[in-house]
Amino acid sequence: MSLLSVRDLTVKFAMRDNTVTALNQISFDLAKGERLGIVGESGAGKSITGFSLMNLLSRPGYIDSGQILFGGQDITQLSEAEMRKIRGNRMAMIFQDPMVTLNPVLTIGQQMVETLRAHRSLSKAEAEQIAILKLREVYIPSPEERLNQYPHELSGGMRQRIIIAMALLLDPELIIADEPTTALDVTIQADIMELLLELCQSNKVGLILITHDLGVVSQMTERTLVMYAGRLIEAGPTREIINDPQHPYTQGLINALPQQTLPGQRLKQIPGNMPSLTAIPTGCPFSPRCEYAVDHCRKILPEIVRYGQVEVACHEVSRLQNTNFEEASA
Amino acid sequence: MSTASQQTKPLLELKGLEKRFDLDKGFLETVKLRGGRLTRERRSVHAVNNVSLNVDRGEALCIVGESGCGKSTVARLVAGLLSPTGGEIHYDGDRIDDRSRAAMMPLRKKMQMIFQNPYASLNPRMTIQQALEEPVRHHNPQMNRGEVRDKVAEVMRSVGVDPSWSSRYPHEFSGGQRQRIAIARALTVDPEFIIADEPISALDVSIQAQVLNLMLEAKDERGLTYFFITHDLSVVEHFGTRVAVLYLGTLCELADTRTLFENPKHPYTKALLSAVPKLKDEGPSHIRLQGEIPTPINLPQGCPFQTRCAFANARCRESRPRPLLQTDGSTVACHAVEEGRLDG
């Protein structure tokens, strides 16, 4: 059985004059210990997906329909009290900015002990021992001293390590990391990513990595979801998606990277911008920017269809696949 | 120094550029109690240390490095927004760092700057038309209204912004469009030299490609010279003709883009290149550096990189390496490279 199973998740935001659909019928599964990447540009709905999985959406956002089955239990139906037992305990989240996640007026030790004692009946001394152990796991030098330090006394890379240690504190089954290294320098990013990968592999922790960086997804994950304007448009094994993207948007995203073009040559850009959620075009949301779009695409929303290992939501791909199939059978 | 610079005069020359920011404001903050006695202590951030480099006409020189390496400070020094603590800046053969504001004015027309955040660099209370007209009027007082309008419309078209949108305000545009408008504003005065400080870092991948293409086009059509500050090495490989790598305000390596990417020499450059996640990577495979960037307040004696360098020895800890010209034309400041210790 999969660890996490998301079925037709739809998230809406109630605005003053209208209701905006931020996530539209998202479905995916995550096996135990699997690492999944969610990519897309700003406004695609990546972070909203992360927040929904933690059941952390706050007004005016709400889950309109769909299910989030975590270990077989639909967490969308849980009360806040029941959700608190899962959150931080069985699933944990790592955010982009460690300075916002850590409480600036509590020491690292106080924050870690507080989290531990909220979920387990431990003495303060026992909790501190576990905290020191976890800090050592993320290669924090002299962890005993760190416990008495405040977040501002530490560097950005060190803070993000502590966040990872805190996420691992209660041995969760799932970690959701939302752009965990975007605020860090490349050399520090590389260290943090390697650490995260190592910890997930050795502890069999599932990882959902939300990022805009396809290189990071390639290094870290086994499967990838590509999102656009609140919809899932392509999903499959990371290698397949990177080496042979099917959806024109995924192709565009990969081809737009500077390393895909010879130095000094024009980059292959995607024209236009991601639509605002208040004005999502009819039919395929990508059709106004898509070079393959035909009338059909502008009228009818493509369903997500499986081809081999990959699922794609695009009319043109299905037509190509059908002609191939007919040729093969003829 | 590239071979081209020996034939023609470089457009921009930085000679031993230094910038320090004093941390203590006023006399009282510098007074400290040490061992029962009052002493005066000045602490300062050594943002740029003895940086020398040239930019030739038509080049796109990229300055790369991690946060706190002083790359933005170098950009601001060149643009004249900060004045250096030491060293000289020469533009087109003339020294410019000691000029008064009034004497800098004619240069501002030739030298324009593009900033990272297009949300902060456009005045929210000015329409696009007003924002774009202002520099044209300021630098060309002889132009009449019609000429100014024509100029603005022409530049807007060249950056792919519809001139009919000119009465709109910045908040009505997306990030990518705003950055185009910021570029348009820099181009309205027909500059020859553009200082761009992380111009695409705040944008999404597909929009980054649009803006980079625009900057490449402007380079070809207008013969622009770029001084391009970025932390993104894949952009450097695509856009830059030469690259300068900074670490803690010190120049580590300066080379042609191809040479740098094919044959990086400085241990820091190697680590930096290996840390960039690549599309085809299966798992991380970077050179691990020890520790993190030290603060530029108390720079280590000797090589600034020695605290994280796997090749550092006693000499590295004592004396600061000087930038030395290599056989392939690159310049590297590293004792280990000089002594050939890295190859073994």
Side-chain angles (χ1 to χ4, degrees):
Chain A
M1 192 185 65
S2 53
L3 174 67
L4 180 76
S5 176
V6 178
R7 288 283 152 263
D8 295 320
L9 181 66
T10 300
V11 169
K12 292 189 176 173
F13 280 77
M15 310 308 264
R16 195 177 297 164
D17 341 304
N18 57 346
T19 303
V20 169
T21 309
L23 281 189
N24 214 326
Q25 301 204 314
I26 304 286
S27 298
F28 65 90
D29 289 279
L30 183 82
K32 205 171 156 39
E34 189 181 25
R35 298 183 310 279
L36 176 80
I38 302 185
V39 291
E41 297 179 287
S42 19
K46 319 185 283 292
S47 292
I48 300 283
T49 309
F51 278 101
S52 314
L53 296 180
M54 290 290 280
N55 215 339
L56 275 176
L57 284 177
S58 52
R59 277 164 190 268
Y62 62 94
I63 294 175
D64 183 65
S65 59
Q67 291 180 310
I68 301 169
L69 299 167
F70 181 67
Q73 188 179 24
D74 186 0
I75 58 171
T76 61
Q77 303 301 322
L78 295 182
S79 67
E80 181 56 27
E82 287 169 313
M83 196 57 219
R84 269 173 173 262
K85 288 186 190 147
I86 294 180
R87 208 186 284 141
N89 186 10
R90 294 177 59 202
M91 53 162 86
M93 192 153 178
I94 299 171
F95 297 92
Q96 177 170 346
D97 188 347
M99 210 46 203
V100 178
T101 319
L102 292 167
N103 188 335
V105 299
L106 295 180
T107 62
I108 302 301
Q110 285 171 327
Q111 303 188 43
M112 294 183 84
V113 167
E114 185 185 31
T115 312
L116 274 163
R117 296 185 72 188
H119 292 280
R120 304 261 196 284
S121 49
L122 293 167
S123 72
K124 195 164 164 272
E126 284 169 332
E128 274 181 4
Q129 283 313 307
I130 298 179
I132 289 169
L133 215 68
K134 293 291 173 184
L135 288 178
R136 201 163 276 143
E137 261 185 58
V138 297
Y139 304 108
I140 298 258
S142 43
E144 293 85 355
E145 287 160 41
R146 303 293 168 205
L147 289 185
N148 299 318
Q149 287 188 310
Y150 288 92
H152 75 266
E153 298 177 68
L154 306 163
S155 70
M158 193 85 91
R159 281 183 213 138
Q160 202 61 302
R161 273 169 208 271
I162 285 170
I163 299 283
I164 294 175
M166 289 175 88
L168 291 168
L169 216 43
L170 292 144
D171 302 310
E173 296 154 71
L174 173 66
I175 290 182
I176 300 168
D178 188 356
E179 303 267 14
T181 55
T182 309
L184 304 173
D185 282 317
V186 268
T187 53
I188 311 293
Q189 161 172 305
D191 286 343
I192 297 279
M193 283 299 176
E194 189 179 22
L195 172 70
L196 196 57
L197 184 62
E198 188 186 302
L199 291 170
C200 285
Q201 279 171 334
S202 60
N203 299 330
K204 297 262 184 309
V205 183
L207 175 71
I208 293 183
L209 182 67
I210 298 170
T211 178
H212 67 281
D213 190 331
L214 286 158
V216 167
V217 166
S218 175
Q219 285 187 342
M220 296 285 294
T221 65
E222 297 154 289
R223 277 199 314 131
T224 298
L225 310 178
V226 185
M227 295 190 67
Y228 187 81
R231 286 183 182 276
L232 200 59
I233 56 145
E234 186 161 355
T238 304
R239 287 285 124 237
E240 296 273 323
I241 301 235
I242 301 271
N243 294 332
D244 186 21
Q246 298 298 313
H247 197 284
Y249 174 67
T250 318
Q251 292 173 359
L253 213 51
I254 291 173
N255 289 335
L257 295 173
Q259 60 259 43
Q260 299 296 102
T261 312
L262 284 175
Q265 301 286 307
R266 241 187 109 74
L267 295 170
K268 297 184 195 78
Q269 62 187 44
I270 307 176
N273 294 299
M274 166 106 55
S276 127
L277 290 176
T278 50
I280 291 182
T282 51
C284 172
F286 187 59
S287 60
R289 300 174 75 188
C290 180
E291 56 179 313
Y292 307 107
V294 291
D295 275 355
H296 194 55
C297 301
R298 292 181 199 103
K299 286 178 195 136
I300 299 157
L301 182 78
E303 302 239 339
I304 195 150
V305 182
R306 176 177 282 278
Y307 300 100
Q309 290 179 287
V310 183
E311 291 172 282
V312 193
C314 174
H315 293 307
E316 280 298 286
V317 171
S318 62
R319 220 172 295 155
L320 280 170
Q321 297 275 346
N322 281 338
T323 46
N324 287 347
F325 180 73
E326 279 159 21
E327 278 164 20
S329 59
Chain B
M1 320 264 153
S2 67
T3 45
S5 67
Q6 283 149 17
Q7 294 149 11
T8 55
K9 200 170 52 175
L11 184 64
L12 179 79
E13 259 183 291
L14 307 183
K15 293 181 182 172
L17 199 61
E18 301 258 354
K19 179 68 190 175
R20 284 192 300 278
F21 295 100
D22 283 332
L23 280 176
D24 304 303
K25 304 266 186 291
F27 171 73
L28 280 178
E29 276 192 37
T30 66
V31 179
K32 299 267 157 57
L33 194 64
R34 282 290 137 88
R37 310 177 69 181
L38 283 180
T39 50
R40 267 192 84 184
E41 254 178 42
R42 277 171 176 272
R43 291 176 309 146
S44 51
V45 174
H46 298 259
V48 179
N49 304 302
N50 198 12
V51 170
S52 301
L53 52 87
N54 292 347
V55 185
D56 295 326
R57 268 180 204 280
E59 249 198 325
L61 181 85
C62 291
I63 310 277
V64 294
E66 298 180 279
S67 42
C69 77
K71 49 190 194 302
S72 290
T73 308
V74 172
R76 277 155 206 263
L77 288 169
V78 170
L81 299 177
L82 291 172
S83 50
T85 318
E88 295 176 9
I89 303 172
H90 292 250
Y91 186 83
D92 213 1
D94 301 322
R95 186 168 175 186
I96 59 165
D97 58 272
D98 53 358
R99 285 197 188 178
S100 66
R101 281 180 70 97
M104 268 303 269
M105 244 345 146
L107 259 182
R108 299 228 185 266
K109 189 169 180 295
K110 293 184 186 169
M111 201 191 253
Q112 285 285 315
M113 191 154 177
I114 301 168
F115 295 91
Q116 173 170 359
N117 187 347
Y119 291 82
S121 62
L122 293 170
N123 186 335
R125 289 167 180 257
M126 277 175 132
T127 64
I128 300 311
Q129 183 75 26
Q130 288 167 332
L132 292 177
E133 272 186 10
E134 197 177 42
V136 184
R137 284 229 186 83
H138 186 81
H139 287 290
N140 306 288
Q142 79 289 353
M143 274 194 181
N144 65 35
R145 277 185 143 207
E147 283 171 333
V148 172
R149 277 186 177 275
D150 289 347
K151 180 77 203 165
V152 167
E154 174 216 313
V155 173
M156 281 178 89
R157 264 191 297 274
S158 77
V159 299
V161 175
D162 191 339
S164 66
W165 298 344
S166 60
S167 60
R168 296 191 192 177
Y169 287 89
H171 73 263
E172 297 176 68
F173 293 92
S174 69
Q177 285 168 329
R178 277 184 227 208
Q179 198 59 302
R180 284 161 186 272
I181 291 162
I183 293 173
R185 189 177 52 180
L187 295 179
T188 47
V189 294
D190 294 320
E192 52 182 16
F193 185 61
I194 300 265
I195 301 156
D197 188 1
E198 303 263 16
I200 60 166
S201 305
L203 308 174
D204 271 321
V205 182
S206 70
I207 311 300
Q208 283 190 352
Q210 293 176 7
V211 172
L212 263 189
N213 278 343
L214 174 64
M215 292 183 71
L216 280 172
E217 271 164 30
K219 180 173 185 262
D220 294 341
E221 284 166 18
R222 296 163 177 265
L224 293 175
T225 306
Y226 282 108
F227 195 77
F228 194 99
I229 313 294
T230 182
H231 69 279
D232 188 337
L233 286 155
S234 60
V235 171
V236 172
E237 191 173 13
H238 188 78
F239 189 82
T241 53
R242 275 196 311 147
V243 192
V245 182
L246 287 189
Y247 184 81
L248 278 180
T250 312
L251 190 68
C252 294
E253 187 159 355
L254 174 68
D256 289 337
T257 307
R258 270 195 69 183
T259 315
L260 187 101
F261 279 84
E262 281 170 10
N263 185 14
K265 293 179 193 65
H266 197 287
Y268 177 63
T269 314
K270 288 183 180 176
L272 199 61
L273 287 180
S274 77
V276 180
K278 290 167 203 77
L279 261 189
K280 310 284 172 185
D281 277 357
E282 297 184 33
S285 58
H286 65 287
I287 301 170
R288 265 203 191 194
L289 292 178
Q290 310 147 7
E292 295 180 27
I293 306 184
T295 72
I297 298 173
N298 299 311
L299 279 184
Q301 207 194 350
C303 174
F305 186 56
Q306 41 126 332
T307 53
R308 299 173 79 193
C309 182
F311 305 96
N313 65 8
R315 187 183 173 205
C316 301
R317 281 183 279 276
E318 270 158 29
S319 74
R320 182 160 294 183
R322 285 164 20 104
L324 295 174
L325 192 64
Q326 307 293 309
T327 46
D328 61 0
S330 59
T331 305
V332 183
C334 176
H335 291 315
V337 169
E338 184 193 339
E339 296 164 13
R341 269 194 276 135
L342 294 185
D343 309 319

